[in-house]
Amino acid sequence: KAGVTQTPRYLIKTRGQQVTLSCSPISGHRSVSWYQQTPGQGLQFLFEYFSETQRNKGNFPGRFSGRQFSNSRSEMNVSTLELGDSALYLCASRLAGASGEQYFGPGTRLTVT
Amino acid sequence: AQRVTQPEKLLSVFKGAPVELKCNYSYSGSPELFWYVQYSRQRLQLLLRHISRESIKGFTADLNKGETSFHLKKPFAQEEDSAMYYCALSGGSGTYKYIFGTGTRLKVLA
């Protein structure tokens, strides 16, 4: 079956702009999580959506938001971009249960100039 | 506090030497533990999980509940093992948290 897909793969934005990233989970997966990956901080959890509801949230400012649609596709939005937001943003999906393997997408590389 | 700790950011070993990537966790309850790996230019992917008790690519990891550790081991490192390794835990029934460590970069030198 098709893996997790993320669009776009690369983005260049300037400070102050906003950006929307998209993630399509594996068919049948209802949980979608978002992570920020940087060389210095590693993998940091942003939030998780399940059945269109956010059920977990990491320690990121309110500029970072997300949503999930009825088909389980998810979007992440970052407003008022800062240079420090430059990172690889990863999306992961898993089945409905609490535990289990997460399947990761290839990521969206965001560069803020 | 609930956390996963990987004390080494970088671990360099020579080819053929044993490898141990450390992972300690703090979690109230019975979590499920995982190791994920990210090879250069590839997606982050599951390497192994504690409940399956299997060896993948020569790697094993044993859950030590007394020491709250889940160290990843391989007796003889190979150059293709060079990658970023993340330890993670998933909360048990009733919670949906998934917590990753900060990762350890393994470099296997020829």
Side-chain angles (χ1 to χ4, degrees):
Chain A
K1 65 185 149 179
V4 177
T5 58
Q6 291 185 247
T7 57
R9 294 293 311 279
Y10 302 92
L11 264 180
I12 299 176
K13 292 285 188 178
T14 55
R15 274 187 305 175
Q17 286 186 314
Q18 75 161 13
V19 67
T20 299
L21 313 181
S22 181
C23 171
S24 292
I26 290 173
S27 177
H29 287 192
R30 293 164 64 191
S31 164
V32 174
S33 296
W34 288 90
Y35 297 87
Q36 182 193 66
Q37 187 179 36
T38 58
Q41 301 291 325
L43 205 61
Q44 292 188 283
F45 172 71
L46 282 152
F47 29 66
E48 181 196 8
Y49 286 87
F50 175 75
S51 290
E52 302 177 66
T53 301
Q54 186 183 88
R55 68 178 181 184
N56 270 310
K57 189 177 187 309
N59 296 323
F60 276 80
R63 299 186 297 107
F64 292 82
S65 63
R67 59 177 175 168
Q68 187 180 33
F69 302 95
S70 57
N71 62 358
S72 294
R73 191 177 70 84
S74 177
E75 286 183 347
M76 189 191 103
N77 184 276
V78 188
S79 62
T80 320
L81 283 166
E82 299 177 0
L83 295 179
D85 296 334
S86 294
L88 182 67
Y89 290 88
L90 296 175
C91 161
S93 74
R94 58 175 160 155
L95 290 170
S99 61
E101 177 181 357
Q102 290 206 50
Y103 294 82
F104 284 83
T108 294
R109 171 75 60 189
L110 173 64
T111 302
V112 182
T113 62
Chain B
Q2 301 165 348
R3 68 167 63 95
V4 174
T5 303
Q6 293 180 252
E8 303 133 331
K9 282 196 127 174
L10 173 66
L11 182 64
S12 296
V13 301
F14 284 102
K15 177 182 169 183
V19 174
E20 182 179 48
L21 300 173
K22 290 184 166 46
C23 172
N24 287 89
Y25 66 93
S26 171
Y27 191 84
S28 54
S30 297
E32 186 175 1
L33 274 295
F34 305 85
W35 276 99
Y36 283 81
V37 61
Q38 189 172 32
Y39 301 103
S40 179
R41 296 190 176 84
Q42 292 189 29
R43 301 184 184 207
L44 193 59
Q45 59 186 292
L46 179 70
L47 179 62
L48 52 79
R49 54 201 298 180
H50 88 267
I51 61 171
S52 58
R53 293 178 168 268
E54 54 188 348
S55 172
I56 304 291
K57 299 186 179 183
F59 284 98
T60 59
D62 290 318
L63 179 61
N64 186 323
K65 292 185 179 179
E67 295 182 0
T68 58
S69 68
F70 188 56
H71 303 325
L72 184 67
K73 300 177 183 178
K74 185 169 182 177
F76 308 103
Q78 299 174 325
E79 289 181 74
E80 53 265 33
D81 296 329
S82 295
M84 191 74 178
Y85 291 81
Y86 290 95
C87 181
L89 73 77
S90 175
S93 177
T95 177
Y96 307 102
K97 286 199 172 184
Y98 215 105
I99 303 169
F100 279 85
T102 49
T104 298
R105 180 165 298 283
L106 174 65
K107 284 191 178 179
V108 181
L109 310 170

